[in-house]
Amino acid sequence: MSVITPELLTRFDVPGPRYTSYPTADRFVEAFGETDYVQALTQRKSGLVGKQLPLSLYVHIPFCESLCYYCACNKIITKHKERAADYLRYLTKEVELHTRHLGQGQSVSQLHLGGGTPTFMSDDELRQLMAMLRKNFEFVPGGEYSVEVDPRTVDESRLAVLAELGFNRLSFGVQDFDPAVQKAIHRIQPAEQVFKLVEASRRLGFESVNVDLIYGLPLQTPESFDRTLAQINRLRPDRIALYAYAHLPERFKPQRRIHAQELPSGGDKVAMLSRSLDAFVDAGYVYVGMDHFALPDDALAVAKRQGRLHRNFQGYSTQADCDLIALGVSSIGRIGTTYSQNAKTMDEYCDLLDQGHLPVVRGLALSRDDLIRRSVIMALMCQGHLQYEAINLAWLVDFKSLFTKELEQLQALQDQGLVQLNETGIQVTAMGWFFVRGVAMVFDRYLQADRNRTRFSKII
């Protein structure tokens, strides 16, 4: 029996933010810059939070050896391996500027290397990177230390180096095992290669292995994707991230190499998602939420069961909400009540560091309203329920008065079976959890304002 039917997905799976932050990154402004960011760092150092709560680190490695046509990430395609060594020098400069304001030895409980392709770096460069980070930060035992891995760039010996460096979680980019699809997206990687790497990861003692999949790619059909799902279930990774491909060639130049006529229809995309949900749930995976699945004994599934889920720029996490220092070109961080983003081009990123500046070029200082709404959205996205009294006490507000319009909108979602409302709070239903983004969107003031402007302009 289907977990969620194609009819339900067509009706409720609406486009919208993934809420890895609120407000979302498209709301950042250039008026926020280095001065604002330094002030946030200084406040962390001088405040009690900075002394008690560990940091999260994100390091963006933008380099890739070859172009994947579907990719919308910030990346640099190059065969010149020497560029990684130069980039490492700039990352070191950026960390040193941070420690001027934070001091050395801040505790870190979470590290994520993303890209691009972090394993574009050589083993020695990865050792240098980790040594530099450990020199400036204190990595706590039991933390989550993860790295994104392109299966085409590693073998078992390289995985052993990652384990030696302290990484305990891996994420393999698979996307699809079908050879024709792989050729259409310019990413050839035989299934056997991935199976061998996952087996090696288990021998090496990695605590969790994630696999990324994408549905909606060129030449995919529900039947071909069924074969990939069956192979993934045999592979049995600890976690699965299932993403929808968004074809936006006007924004992302590499996607112009994808032939639009080869893309699956909207109906086929919905069928792939519905059949994926069935396949993974039938195989014993827990639907964590928002594209994420995990085996029942994985830390992510346990956190969901115990109501301890959190959400950050990498998606769902077991780590408590904390400040995030983002290093590298285009990376996005969060310190206190601010968000910040580094320069998106390598030239601007390097120029700012050469001048002795932190490369922050835009961001946002959150208002009180932003903070209240963030707490509401994250409660719904992570715990699936919210008690009015908790928000009232935390923010000294009257929830029902503050969110009168939002509660009216939720009435419609209650009629559709996505939420349950009562005198004390909001509960996302079992079915509603599959569409929790739509529930959260009700409380997004910026999104609602955009919709109102659109309606108003149409009337005029």
Side-chain angles (χ1 to χ4, degrees):
M1 181 178 177
S2 293
V3 174
I4 295 293
T5 65
E7 290 74 23
L8 285 172
L9 288 168
T10 300
R11 186 177 177 189
F12 295 128
D13 191 30
V14 295
R18 298 184 67 243
Y19 292 114
T20 52
S21 70
Y22 179 82
T24 50
D26 57 323
R27 309 297 173 179
F28 294 0
V29 295
E30 293 180 0
F32 183 102
E34 182 190 24
T35 300
D36 306 282
Y37 184 61
V38 168
Q39 182 179 7
L41 292 174
T42 303
Q43 288 174 347
R44 175 184 168 88
K45 181 182 178 182
S46 60
L48 289 176
V49 170
K51 296 179 175 65
Q52 294 176 353
L53 297 182
L55 283 165
S56 178
L57 296 181
Y58 173 73
V59 184
H60 189 73
I61 312 296
F63 305 109
C64 295
E65 288 190 46
S66 64
L67 178 67
C68 301
Y69 295 164
Y70 60 84
C71 186
C73 298
N74 186 296
K75 72 277 181 187
I76 296 170
I77 309 301
T78 180
K79 298 285 187 181
H80 296 284
K81 292 287 189 174
E82 67 276 7
R83 295 195 66 176
D86 192 45
Y87 186 64
L88 183 54
R89 287 193 290 274
Y90 280 98
L91 287 173
T92 303
K93 286 185 179 183
E94 189 178 1
V95 168
E96 288 172 349
L97 286 173
H98 275 89
T99 56
R100 286 186 196 176
H101 304 289
L102 281 176
Q104 286 190 331
Q106 290 257 334
S107 294
V108 168
S109 63
Q110 191 175 48
L111 167 68
H112 186 81
L113 262 60
T117 306
T119 43
F120 179 93
M121 286 186 161
S122 69
D123 291 348
D124 283 344
E125 286 163 346
L126 286 168
R127 288 190 178 98
Q128 291 173 44
L129 172 62
M130 291 306 296
M132 181 269 290
L133 293 175
R134 290 183 186 280
K135 174 185 173 184
N136 289 282
F137 301 98
E138 182 68 32
F139 286 72
V140 302
E144 285 193 355
Y145 307 122
S146 61
V147 56
E148 296 174 10
V149 177
D150 181 339
R152 300 170 298 173
T153 64
V154 298
D155 54 20
E156 184 168 355
S157 64
R158 294 217 73 197
L159 294 180
V161 170
L162 295 175
E164 164 204 321
L165 293 175
F167 291 101
N168 52 25
R169 284 171 167 75
L170 300 176
S171 182
F172 290 106
V174 170
Q175 323 319 344
D176 193 310
F177 279 134
D178 187 277
V181 175
Q182 291 185 358
K183 183 177 180 181
I185 61 175
H186 199 237
R187 188 184 176 103
I188 305 296
Q189 49 186 41
E192 297 76 14
Q193 182 182 31
V194 177
F195 272 74
K196 288 179 181 178
L197 291 172
V198 171
E199 290 170 9
S201 303
R202 290 176 176 141
R203 284 196 300 273
L204 291 165
F206 285 94
E207 293 176 21
S208 185
V209 174
N210 175 78
V211 163
D212 286 346
L213 298 176
I214 299 177
Y215 67 95
L217 293 172
L219 301 185
Q220 279 180 337
T221 66
E223 293 72 27
S224 74
F225 203 57
D226 282 346
R227 293 190 289 272
T228 287
L229 297 175
Q231 288 171 290
I232 292 295
N233 284 337
R234 287 200 303 275
L235 182 66
R236 207 153 179 82
D238 302 281
R239 300 178 185 179
I240 300 167
L242 176 68
Y243 301 114
Y245 170 66
H247 189 58
L248 300 168
E250 66 281 1
R251 285 184 57 191
F252 305 112
K253 191 174 180 180
Q255 295 185 359
R256 296 173 193 171
R257 303 191 185 203
I258 287 177
H259 303 298
Q261 64 271 23
E262 294 182 346
L263 294 171
S265 67
D268 279 352
K269 281 188 71 174
V270 169
M272 282 184 238
L273 176 55
S274 177
R275 287 153 79 154
S276 298
L277 293 170
D278 284 347
F280 294 142
V281 171
D282 289 346
Y285 282 89
V286 173
Y287 178 67
V288 177
M290 281 295 296
D291 316 319
H292 287 63
F293 302 80
L295 292 175
D297 58 350
D298 184 83
L300 203 59
V302 173
K304 180 180 187 294
R305 207 157 48 238
Q306 296 177 347
R308 296 185 295 102
L309 271 185
H310 299 277
R311 196 158 177 80
N312 59 28
F313 287 109
Q314 277 72 59
Y316 281 113
S317 169
T318 63
Q319 295 290 298
D321 206 19
C322 63
D323 287 345
L324 166 65
I325 288 182
L327 304 167
V329 63
S330 80
S331 58
I332 299 176
R334 166 192 161 179
I335 299 293
T337 58
T338 70
Y339 294 125
S340 59
Q341 183 170 25
N342 282 352
K344 291 185 177 181
T345 68
M346 187 66 77
D347 285 346
E348 186 178 9
Y349 171 78
C350 294
D351 285 346
L352 287 168
L353 287 167
D354 282 338
Q355 296 170 39
H357 293 294
L358 285 161
V360 172
V361 295
R362 69 182 197 131
L364 193 67
L366 276 64
S367 68
R368 188 168 185 270
D369 182 75
D370 292 334
L371 293 168
I372 296 171
R373 290 175 184 272
R374 181 172 75 178
S375 65
V376 171
I377 288 171
M378 292 307 167
L380 294 171
M381 296 282 293
C382 297
Q383 279 72 53
H385 62 84
L386 178 146
Q387 293 298 309
Y388 302 144
E389 190 65 18
I391 300 298
N392 292 344
L393 292 174
W395 297 101
L396 300 178
V397 296
D398 183 313
F399 188 98
K400 293 182 180 180
S401 298
L402 183 62
F403 294 114
T404 301
K405 291 181 180 178
E406 288 80 359
L407 289 172
E408 289 174 358
Q409 291 182 55
L410 287 180
Q411 287 287 344
L413 297 185
Q414 178 173 248
D415 295 341
Q416 295 166 334
L418 302 188
V419 298
Q420 292 176 345
L421 305 177
N422 56 45
E423 286 301 309
T424 61
I426 305 165
Q427 176 71 51
V428 179
T429 65
M431 184 178 76
W433 188 247
F434 288 91
F435 310 105
V436 69
R437 168 168 50 187
V439 179
M441 285 163 60
V442 170
F443 292 92
D444 186 331
R445 178 172 62 87
Y446 300 93
L447 194 63
Q448 298 300 329
D450 287 347
R451 288 175 171 175
N452 289 336
R453 277 195 296 271
T454 300
R455 284 196 293 267
F456 185 68
S457 64
K458 284 180 179 177
I459 292 171
I460 292 176

